[in-house]
Amino acid sequence: MSKFSVGDIAPNFSIKVSEDTTINLESLKGKYVVLYFYPKDNTPGCTIEARDFNSLKKDFSALGAEIIGVSKDPLASHEKFRKNHDLQFHLGTDTNGDLCEKFSVWVEKSMFGKKYMGIERATFLIDPEGKFAYIWPSVSALGHAKDVLKKLKEIK
């Protein structure tokens, strides 16, 4: 899936996280960034993953890491998702799919024999210099946040 390898420089990105806030990788230099892609707000797997990252937010913050979840859902959907689950990290909207394409997570999927395009659940850990510290392609939502935290602790 990923066209990137650990040690590669992560592509700069700019993503809208609220009506008046846009985050870009350049502004996060000096921090670890957990950039995770998920298919859709308020669906079972995506909710599990988001709540797990949220429950570990203080641990990630203590290690100097910023969490950003990304899907193609619009900002209004993200805001509802954040409020429903009291999420304390940013959710970026990629409605046009540019960031999904840039990170190679917009892929052909299959369900019940029907093929369609969608976001493959994946996570990229970016180090303070803007390089990939670790990449998780095709992840399972359950327990993933703990795996990311464990790897971050190993790396630090």
Side-chain angles (χ1 to χ4, degrees), residues 13 15 17 23 28 31-38 49-62 64-70 82 87-92 123-126 144-146 148-149 152:
F13 61 83
I15 190 156
V17 295
I23 293 177
L28 296 170
K31 292 185 175 188
Y32 280 91
V33 177
V34 175
L35 184 67
Y36 84 92
F37 291 85
Y38 65 98
E49 186 175 30
R51 291 177 73 178
D52 285 352
F53 272 116
N54 200 54
S55 72
L56 298 171
K57 168 108 174 40
K58 287 181 183 175
D59 297 307
F60 280 102
S61 293
E66 187 83 26
I67 302 167
I68 305 170
V70 178
R82 288 183 80 234
L87 302 179
Q88 301 298 310
F89 57 88
H90 293 295
L91 296 177
T123 301
F124 300 84
L125 178 59
I126 302 168
H144 177 59
K146 285 182 183 176
V148 176
L149 183 61
L152 179 58

Side-chain angles (χ1 to χ4, degrees), residues 4-77:
F4 304 111
S5 298
V6 170
D8 288 351
I9 295 173
N12 194 19
F13 61 83
S14 182
I15 190 156
K16 202 164 184 73
V17 295
S18 73
E19 282 300 328
D20 52 358
T21 306
T22 299
I23 293 177
N24 62 58
L25 184 58
E26 187 65 32
S27 69
L28 296 170
K29 288 269 173 128
K31 292 185 175 188
Y32 280 91
V33 177
V34 175
L35 184 67
Y36 84 92
F37 291 85
Y38 65 98
K40 188 145 184 63
D41 291 341
N42 287 304
T43 56
C46 297
T47 299
I48 288 168
E49 186 175 30
R51 291 177 73 178
D52 285 352
F53 272 116
N54 200 54
S55 72
L56 298 171
K57 168 108 174 40
K58 287 181 183 175
D59 297 307
F60 280 102
S61 293
L63 294 168
E66 187 83 26
I67 302 167
I68 305 170
V70 178
S71 78
K72 291 184 76 172
D73 294 305
L75 287 174
S77 176

